[in-house]
Amino acid sequence: MSPTEEIKSRLDIIDVISEYFPLKPAGANWRARCPFHEERTPSFMVSKAKQIWHCFGCGEGGDIFGFIMKQEGLEFPDALRLLADKAGVQIKFEDPAIRSERQRMFNLLEAAVSFWSEVLWQERAAETARRYFMEERKLKPETIRAWRLGYALDSWEALINHLVKLGYKEEEMIKSGVAVRKMETRGRSAYDRFRNRLMFPIANTQGQVIGATGRILSASATEAKYVNTPETLLYHKGQVLYGLDKAKAAIKQQNLAIVVEGNMDAIASHEADVANVVASSGTALTVEQVRLLKRFTDNLAFAFDADAAGESATWRGLATVLSEGCQVSLISLPLRPDGKRFKDPDECIRANPKLWLEAIAKAEPMLEHYFRRAATEYDLTKLEDKQRVTKLILPLIGRLPDQVAMSHYLKKLANLVEVQERYLREALERQPSAGGGSVQRAANAVPAASAPVKDSRWAQSERLLAGLIAAPAQMGYAAAVTTPEMISPEYAALYREMVVFFTEQGGNDKIDWLGQEFAAYLNKNAANGVSPEQLSVLALLADKEFSDFTPLEIERELLSSVNRLKRGHLRVILQKLENDIRSIEQSPAKDEDRLASLFKEFQTVSAELAKMDNNKNSNRK
Ligand SMILES: [Zn+2]
């Protein structure tokens, strides 16, 4: 048995979660209000039988390890350690050879950082560096020590000589990123990567040093302003955020992470007692970095350097953040006494820390910010400015995971650039969905302008399938009126298998969808791409939604889900017919016969839809 399996066999997920908050029984399962999103009615379900949890409000879910990672804000190895202690399981971490290599790298980097720090405080040659930190940047000595800032001497082998004395090999220094391999063969085989530079150690979330950034001390035309550790066994540029180890507690406590561009901005902010701040180090935020932050909060505020909207790399990274489902706001730096804008948070804080606090308090939701700047910084009477604004804002709207918000901002953009909303909507649907599923989902969804979120095809499909698990007698009805095409892509394959199994069983209306036989059937037909975990999640939903319902009530609920799915499906067909008709009408050689048959089909489908809508309205009365 692997350590994770052994831990799972010894611990009960109900006990572990109950240590954090109380769970109440719901059918065969347990439920609570979700700790990971705000809600009034409980959507957080835990299955004792399957040892999994799932929240039907925010979509988070997983096993006991996933819960601890999310709840405690830990990476997997640390969650493993925590649960191993709880379970009394002994674990050997990783391959001993790799483990000792990693450990030696951590130790080596630790020694390098101590060396740079000692040099900064002790060496006469570090006088300029000390003056830079304390006089130019006005940092307090305790801040410099807390962030372990240092100075790399203007030498080719000062650090190497020091590390050799401590017993490290040059090969190890190269692998750790502090030394560079030398081409000529005389003398040492490597030289110091960082020379005459101000040193900023980079730590992982636990505070272990994994790399460093070296900033040039005096402006130079030939040397880069910043030199970074290259990718190593420990350091992966796109997966760390500068200062997160020091900011994570404050981020969790305030449920907000502020992202700045420069390392100095983060340090200055912490010194001003605004500690929920990390630095992106001047590059576009990656998905991994956003997910790292999401362990601590879903609310991100960005304070980027003064810049024309949307023109730097950092701004472009914002689209990623939106599609990860974060609430994003933007902090605008205030104006200086001379009327120009502060160039970065560091400059603003050094002038007056109160201005920084005020700027944070005035953060605007991201799209509001874009709209305000578009209205003031562009000349919207000009066609090309309208196009630029649309190009800037429309893709961001497409990344919103929420239909209501998407609809709201589409209207707003349509008004701003004076274009009909439906053209924007069409442009949005034509957009490739690179890097995010939300655009895809939006395009597949019912094209009604203000479809409520709950009405989404995905939620209705999930509800229908959960209802069938709770009331197997309804399978015959569902199979007769619902085709797999009506079901959302997430659940279409599972539904198809359910229909096939039901048919093979000769229309048996007592199928236990969670039982051995259907599981064996799915197993045998694994190639059809249905994952058994989907059934476990649906079983939880069945308990959550239907455990207090009578069979008749469940039947009524299923009828309503089927109708909604069918109406949604008809609207998608109508939309497609409309597009086909338009493109034929616009083509030079109009195919009149085809056009006539499309029109006929359009009329049939819209009559059917109208009939369903009427029924729906009369049912409501
Ligand atoms: Zn939730």
Side-chain angles (χ1 to χ4, degrees):
M1 217 191 295
S2 76
T4 52
E5 284 165 345
E6 199 177 343
I7 290 168
K8 281 183 174 179
S9 75
R10 289 204 199 178
L11 294 177
D12 184 355
I13 196 166
I14 307 290
D15 296 338
V16 171
I17 295 181
S18 298
E19 284 180 23
Y20 293 93
F21 47 84
L23 293 170
K24 294 211 178 77
N29 297 302
W30 299 77
R31 78 162 100 185
R33 282 219 291 266
C34 177
F36 307 127
H37 83 282
E38 287 281 325
E39 63 174 4
R40 278 194 225 125
T41 54
S43 315
F44 182 91
M45 299 290 294
V46 189
S47 162
K48 189 176 169 69
K50 299 278 178 187
Q51 292 288 304
I52 57 165
W53 59 279
H54 190 90
C55 171
F56 291 94
C58 62
E60 293 283 347
D63 60 7
I64 197 169
F65 292 99
F67 176 79
I68 291 294
M69 285 164 72
K70 182 103 181 122
Q71 176 72 25
E72 296 275 355
L74 294 176
E75 316 217 0
F76 180 77
D78 295 300
L80 184 63
R81 231 165 269 164
L82 187 153
L83 287 171
D85 280 351
K86 225 186 254 297
V89 172
Q90 286 278 338
I91 32 175
K92 293 187 221 74
F93 283 99
E94 303 159 4
D95 173 355
I98 293 180
R99 190 190 169 200
S100 63
E101 188 185 348
R102 282 169 68 96
Q103 197 51 57
R104 266 186 83 79
M105 277 173 83
F106 277 128
N107 296 347
L108 185 155
L109 289 166
E110 187 57 39
V113 166
S114 299
F115 179 69
W116 290 323
S117 167
E118 230 162 83
V119 166
L120 176 73
W121 293 108
Q122 315 283 342
E123 294 283 329
R124 181 189 287 270
E127 180 60 32
T128 322
R130 281 197 294 275
R131 254 193 283 130
Y132 173 84
F133 282 133
M134 294 200 274
E135 286 165 32
E136 199 168 322
R137 293 293 172 160
K138 295 196 170 64
L139 292 179
K140 295 177 196 145
E142 57 265 36
T143 305
I144 298 174
R145 288 192 198 278
W147 290 80
R148 311 189 65 193
L149 306 181
Y151 174 63
L153 289 165
D154 194 5
S155 147
W156 294 93
E157 44 192 39
L159 178 65
I160 292 184
N161 289 339
H162 176 73
L163 292 175
V164 164
K165 263 187 265 161
L166 295 177
Y168 292 101
K169 299 190 197 75
E170 284 160 32
E171 201 56 37
E172 291 177 303
M173 301 174 206
I174 294 168
K175 276 193 182 169
S176 309
V178 297
V180 181
R181 192 182 305 283
K182 208 155 64 172
M183 290 307 149
E184 70 221 66
T185 46
R186 272 176 306 137
R188 294 208 181 281
S189 62
Y191 58 88
D192 283 3
R193 179 181 298 276
F194 302 100
R195 300 173 308 280
N196 190 22
R197 283 179 182 267
L198 302 156
M199 297 307 300
F200 297 79
I202 301 168
N204 62 17
T205 318
Q206 285 84 49
Q208 294 167 295
V209 178
I210 54 174
T213 297
R215 186 194 189 280
I216 202 162
L217 187 51
S218 43
S220 153
T222 52
E223 286 181 78
K225 188 171 176 194
Y226 294 100
V227 169
N228 274 306
T229 305
E231 295 283 311
T232 69
L233 186 62
L234 300 181
Y235 178 75
H236 307 285
K237 189 171 165 48
Q239 296 173 16
V240 270
L241 282 158
Y242 184 73
L244 184 56
D245 57 314
K246 294 188 174 55
K248 63 182 178 185
I251 289 174
K252 198 160 183 181
Q253 201 189 348
Q254 296 171 44
N255 194 16
L256 172 70
I258 296 173
V259 183
V260 295
E261 278 190 66
N263 296 357
M264 277 309 303
D265 299 324
I267 296 174
S269 182
H270 279 249
E271 191 173 59
D273 276 336
V274 181
N276 54 334
V277 179
V278 296
S280 68
S281 304
T283 52
L285 227 51
T286 65
V287 175
E288 286 84 6
Q289 286 170 325
V290 176
R291 293 192 179 150
L292 206 54
L293 288 173
K294 277 199 74 165
R295 288 200 210 142
F296 306 100
T297 183
D298 282 336
N299 302 307
L300 309 185
F302 290 84
F304 291 154
D305 299 355
D307 194 346
E311 275 156 37
S312 77
T314 21
W315 285 90
R316 284 197 294 275
L318 287 178
T320 314
V321 186
L322 279 183
S323 39
E324 286 297 306
C326 295
Q327 300 295 321
V328 184
S329 54
L330 295 178
I331 297 168
S332 301
L333 292 173
L335 298 178
R336 297 192 300 217
D338 67 2
K340 286 191 195 131
R341 216 164 270 286
F342 282 111
K343 74 174 168 33
D344 53 34
D346 178 37
E347 191 190 64
C348 169
I349 294 164
R350 270 184 290 131
N352 182 356
K354 255 170 84 187
L355 292 176
W356 174 232
L357 286 171
E358 284 168 16
I360 294 169
K362 281 192 281 191
E364 292 168 289
M366 174 171 166
L367 276 157
E368 298 292 342
H369 177 97
Y370 269 81
F371 275 108
R372 187 175 55 74
R373 289 183 70 161
T376 53
E377 292 172 20
Y378 291 85
D379 178 1
L380 290 171
T381 59
K382 281 197 210 139
L383 174 63
E384 73 250 40
D385 272 18
K386 283 184 184 182
Q387 285 167 331
R388 281 169 67 192
V389 165
T390 306
K391 224 171 138 184
L392 190 67
I393 297 182
L394 192 61
L396 297 175
I397 296 178
R399 296 289 187 133
L400 292 171
D402 172 75
Q403 288 280 335
V404 176
M406 203 184 265
S407 212
H408 170 83
Y409 284 115
L410 271 180
K411 273 208 186 76
K412 196 165 170 165
L413 179 60
N415 285 336
L416 185 70
V417 297
E418 296 172 306
V419 168
Q420 283 192 33
E421 192 187 327
R422 68 187 170 100
Y423 293 125
L424 294 179
R425 195 173 284 278
E426 281 165 18
L428 199 58
E429 283 169 15
R430 278 197 305 272
Q431 260 176 30
S433 66
S438 51
V439 175
Q440 193 59 46
R441 169 147 331 147
N444 286 341
V446 180
S450 57
V453 184
K454 247 195 292 175
D455 215 29
S456 78
R457 192 171 159 208
W458 179 76
Q460 288 305 330
S461 303
E462 192 171 60
R463 201 171 158 75
L464 172 66
L465 267 58
L468 290 172
I469 289 172
Q474 299 302 324
M475 189 62 208
Y477 164 73
V481 296
T482 317
T483 62
E485 289 74 42
M486 296 181 193
I487 303 289
S488 73
E490 293 86 353
Y491 288 107
L494 174 60
Y495 179 71
R496 192 184 304 270
E497 294 306 315
M498 285 171 75
V499 173
V500 173
F501 185 73
F502 173 75
T503 314
E504 281 182 6
Q505 297 274 308
N508 176 1
D509 63 0
K510 292 192 186 63
I511 294 173
D512 176 6
W513 293 109
L514 306 173
Q516 294 291 330
E517 285 161 36
F518 187 55
Y521 167 86
L522 283 182
N523 209 0
K524 202 174 73 199
N525 298 285
N528 296 345
V530 177
S531 81
E533 285 82 58
Q534 279 194 324
L535 267 180
S536 310
V537 169
L538 289 169
L540 283 176
L541 183 64
D543 259 359
K544 172 182 176 285
E545 295 288 294
F546 302 117
S547 59
D548 310 326
F549 280 38
T550 65
L552 190 67
E553 284 169 331
I554 298 180
E555 189 184 333
R556 211 177 292 146
E557 291 289 309
L558 289 186
L559 187 69
S560 130
S561 285
V562 166
N563 280 335
R564 283 171 193 222
L565 285 169
K566 183 145 194 208
R567 282 205 305 275
H569 186 61
L570 291 177
R571 284 200 205 102
V572 171
I573 294 176
L574 274 187
Q575 182 73 41
K576 191 180 172 308
L577 286 170
E578 205 181 315
N579 291 345
D580 289 352
I581 290 171
R582 192 176 310 134
S583 72
I584 291 182
E585 279 179 338
Q586 285 164 355
S587 69
K590 250 198 258 180
D591 181 345
E592 296 289 352
D593 288 348
R594 172 116 178 87
L595 204 54
S597 88
L598 285 175
F599 264 124
K600 203 163 159 231
E601 209 181 326
F602 186 87
Q603 277 163 351
T604 317
V605 176
S606 53
E608 197 178 343
L609 184 61
K611 206 171 104 197
M612 290 192 76
D613 284 344
N614 279 339
N615 285 342
K616 183 183 111 193
N617 292 337
S618 58
N619 284 347
R620 271 203 195 139
K621 276 171 204 161

